[in-house]
Amino acid sequence: MKTFDIAVIGGDGIGPEVTAEELKVLDAAADVYGFKLNYHQYPFGSEHYFKTGEIFPEKAFEEVKGLDAILLGAIGDPRAPVGLIEYGIIAKMRFELDLYVNLRPIKVFDERLCPLKGKKAEDIDMVYIRENTEGAYVGAHGFTHKGQPNEVATQVLVYTRAGVERAIRYAFELARTRNKKKKVTLIDKANAMRSHDLWTRTFAEVAREYPDISTDHAYVDAACMWMIKNPEWFDVAVTTNMFGDILTDLGAVLQGGLGIAASANIHPGKKALFEPIHGSAPKYAGMNTASPVAAIMAGSMMLEYLGLTEAAHAVEGTVVSLLRAGRIKGVNSGLHKCNEVGDMVATEIKAAVAGAKG
Ligand code: IPM
Ligand code: MG
């Protein structure tokens, strides 16, 4: 039987509870489609840090590196110093495992969930490639004259030719395999951030190798507008780390909210980490009211990555049909018990196959 070793970091807030439902659904898929997932659970997150002072010890990190994939719940706690746990866990894995593609699909699965007037489900089906290892997230920063009226704060944007090129190239390759509009849109702010000229030039050069793919360009401010006004114009979008962070929260709302949006952090051919786009939502932690749908969708992306395509489609397809049938009422917190949604999806996956056989 195909067996995979999966690192699981539930993390903070609602992270552990939505991840538990994700694993429940993955196990149902494993049962039905005949593979096995061995979970290696790690307790890291803010709570663990408060208790032990430990963030992500190197020994555990070395172990995680050797596993087939990583599932993450959510990181973030208002009681922890800003950025400490984020950089110690999620950013650490993105940078040190060189997960340079942050793949964030934005797709409306159920029209009821889309907040835009006059748009159909098929109008919103795009994928963001967020460059995931450079930009504002890695540049040196500092303060001089801290606390004085003349204080100066700086943070450097870092883009390398190789880093920009590999993200752009991934976007063009993806546009080919998606077979939708066959279009890649570059989103930057080259008119104000002149370092983005590297993106402009690299995009033009790579595009020449893909004559079958059309190209488009939008400055990030305009992109925010077009995402709302004309989301049907987008197929694959490629952008910087920080713009990708911002635009994909906007995108998540187009598909129904942070309760449904999932993402993959990938170094192609090497390693990948899957997570819901939402945060730790501390106010809902431990209440069993958060929606696990985004985490379950992240699990489906992992199955796809592991080559378990049929199982991946079954997980996504089951969630989508439960949504469309109104059995999953929505993806906002409080509409269901968190475990009720996990149970429903797991049961349905098993029932669908039993039905087909019987
Ligand atoms: C995301 C998150 C992270 C980011 C935070 C938690 C550092 O917002 O994955 O989108 O900014 O990348
Ligand atoms: Mg974000």
Side-chain angles (χ1 to χ4, degrees):
M1 193 185 294
K2 274 190 191 161
T3 302
F4 302 91
D5 285 291
I6 311 297
V8 180
I9 305 173
D12 295 332
I14 60 167
E17 55 204 276
V18 297
T19 305
E21 299 314 307
E22 176 182 12
L23 302 189
K24 185 188 281 174
V25 168
L26 290 174
D27 282 338
D31 262 11
V32 168
Y33 292 93
F35 57 90
K36 187 160 175 22
L37 302 174
N38 290 327
Y39 302 123
H40 301 248
Q41 296 263 8
Y42 296 93
F44 308 125
S46 303
E47 209 61 62
H48 183 79
Y49 166 72
F50 298 140
K51 266 191 250 153
T52 64
E54 201 173 66
I55 300 179
F56 196 163
E58 282 311 308
K59 186 172 165 291
F61 186 57
E62 283 306 312
E63 251 169 57
V64 167
K65 273 188 189 168
L67 305 180
D68 296 308
I70 305 160
L71 293 176
L72 183 78
I75 296 295
D77 188 312
R79 296 166 300 166
V82 176
L84 179 72
I85 312 295
E86 290 89 331
Y87 267 79
I89 297 181
I90 177 64
K92 179 183 172 75
M93 289 192 282
R94 286 177 183 168
F95 301 156
E96 293 183 29
L97 300 172
D98 199 25
L99 307 174
Y100 66 85
V101 172
N102 196 325
L103 182 86
R104 299 188 156 186
I106 295 165
K107 187 175 159 114
V108 169
F109 295 108
D110 176 6
E111 220 150 289
R112 280 182 313 141
L113 298 179
C114 177
L116 293 187
K117 233 183 353 195
K119 297 292 175 193
K120 295 197 208 54
E122 59 269 26
D123 291 334
I124 300 171
D125 183 0
M126 64 187 99
V127 180
Y128 263 86
I129 302 304
R130 164 186 177 188
E131 197 294 318
N132 211 26
T133 57
E134 303 194 334
Y137 284 68
V138 303
H141 73 277
F143 310 89
T144 43
H145 313 301
K146 198 166 187 173
Q148 305 302 312
N150 59 341
E151 178 169 351
V152 180
T154 53
Q155 183 145 4
V156 177
L157 297 172
V158 177
Y159 304 110
T160 66
R161 166 71 201 212
V164 169
E165 184 173 332
R166 64 187 183 172
I168 291 174
R169 196 170 287 286
Y170 189 94
F172 277 93
E173 290 292 332
L174 182 67
R176 262 190 188 157
T177 62
R178 265 169 65 80
N179 220 359
K180 300 263 171 170
K181 294 190 186 62
K182 296 214 170 214
K183 175 173 168 183
V184 180
T185 304
L186 170 66
I187 299 173
D188 60 44
K189 189 65 188 171
N191 53 349
M193 297 165 114
R194 294 305 296 126
S195 61
H196 286 187
D197 189 56
L198 177 60
W199 284 80
T200 312
R201 284 182 279 114
T202 309
F203 187 76
E205 275 177 43
V206 174
R208 278 202 284 278
E209 295 173 38
Y210 296 84
D212 51 322
I213 306 294
S214 65
T215 60
D216 203 350
H217 170 258
Y219 293 128
V220 64
D221 48 349
C224 290
M225 173 185 62
W226 297 128
M227 287 269 289
I228 306 289
K229 243 177 106 132
N230 293 94
E232 66 279 3
W233 288 355
F234 292 89
D235 177 5
V236 177
V238 61
T239 191
T240 67
N241 203 343
M242 189 167 65
F243 292 166
D245 176 43
I246 298 165
L247 284 159
T248 54
D249 267 30
L250 181 80
V253 171
L254 295 186
Q255 56 175 155
L258 286 164
I260 196 167
S263 69
N265 301 256
I266 311 170
H267 186 117
K270 254 191 171 161
K271 188 70 64 208
L273 177 157
F274 302 83
E275 54 174 339
I277 294 186
H278 65 66
S280 57
K283 66 178 174 203
Y284 300 125
M287 291 168 67
N288 196 24
T289 58
S291 172
V293 166
I296 294 170
M297 291 307 215
S300 159
M301 290 178 84
M302 181 186 77
L303 296 179
E304 178 100 50
Y305 166 81
L306 293 174
L308 305 162
T309 315
E310 219 189 333
H313 294 174
V315 170
E316 187 185 288
T318 302
V319 172
V320 172
S321 54
L322 287 168
L323 276 168
R324 289 192 185 150
R327 289 179 58 200
I328 298 179
K329 290 182 235 161
V331 295
N332 293 336
S333 176
L335 291 175
H336 291 276
K337 296 265 175 253
C338 181
N339 71 310
E340 182 193 347
V341 175
D343 286 340
M344 223 194 294
V345 179
T347 308
E348 202 65 20
I349 288 172
K350 291 187 180 174
V353 167
K357 279 183 186 152

